[in-house]
Amino acid sequence: MKLHSILLSLVAAASMAFAGVAAAHDAGDTVKPNFSRAIPNIPGKSLIAVEVLYPPGGASHAHTHAKSAFIYAYVVSGSVVSKVNDEPEHVYKAGESFFEEPGSLHAVSRNASKTKPAKLLAVFVVDSNDKELTTNVK
């Protein structure tokens, strides 16, 4: 019974986390949940992965992530333009990756192509109780 309650809590937390990511990405991209799991040997931390699908010319709003979030981003296909904090914009091609430290501003995140789609896998290491993973910056 206790295991059942824990599993239900994890599923509910993951659903809320994914909803927070999807709500913040409404400027021409689609966010699809990929993986969510509490890290058993690091109490209070979870690993969450989402796929960010950019149509040709698609982009995300400028955004921040949960204050605890360390993010590893891997370009699965196409090319993605990214600007994190004061770094210059950089084009990442399929097979390349970058990261975001906790508290970073992701000012630019867009498809580098106006004719081909792009896909990014974003992997979060985050406090398990962080519900809003992504927040738009106005």
Side-chain angles (χ1 to χ4, degrees), residues 15-122:
S15 297
M16 287 186 285
F18 287 139
V21 171
H25 289 83
D26 61 0
D29 65 350
T30 302
V31 176
K32 180 179 149 187
N34 181 282
F35 179 84
S36 179
R37 178 99 185 207
I39 303 172
N41 62 335
I42 309 175
K45 293 287 184 181
S46 291
L47 184 69
I48 298 173
V50 298
E51 293 176 26
V52 183
L53 309 167
Y54 295 100
S60 302
H61 290 289
H63 58 274
T64 59
H65 294 288
K67 293 193 186 303
S68 68
F70 176 85
I71 300 148
Y72 168 76
Y74 177 82
V75 180
V76 176
S77 62
S79 298
V80 174
V81 179
S82 182
K83 176 178 173 33
V84 177
N85 295 326
D86 295 329
E87 296 295 320
E89 283 189 16
H90 184 84
V91 177
Y92 295 93
K93 297 178 179 160
E96 296 180 326
S97 61
F98 61 94
F99 65 91
E100 295 180 46
E101 297 280 354
S104 294
L105 169 64
H106 200 164
V108 176
S109 184
R110 63 178 156 75
N111 188 338
S113 173
K114 301 266 189 230
T115 60
K116 297 179 184 173
K119 184 191 305 189
L120 177 76
L121 179 69

Side-chain angles (χ1 to χ4, degrees), residues 118-129:
K119 184 191 305 189
L120 177 76
L121 179 69
V123 180
F124 293 69
V125 176
V126 64
D127 287 348
S128 297
N129 62 355

Side-chain angles (χ1 to χ4, degrees), residues 1-10:
M1 182 72 166
K2 185 174 182 180
L3 178 59
H4 180 54
S5 297
I6 292 170
L7 289 174
L8 284 175
S9 296
L10 286 174

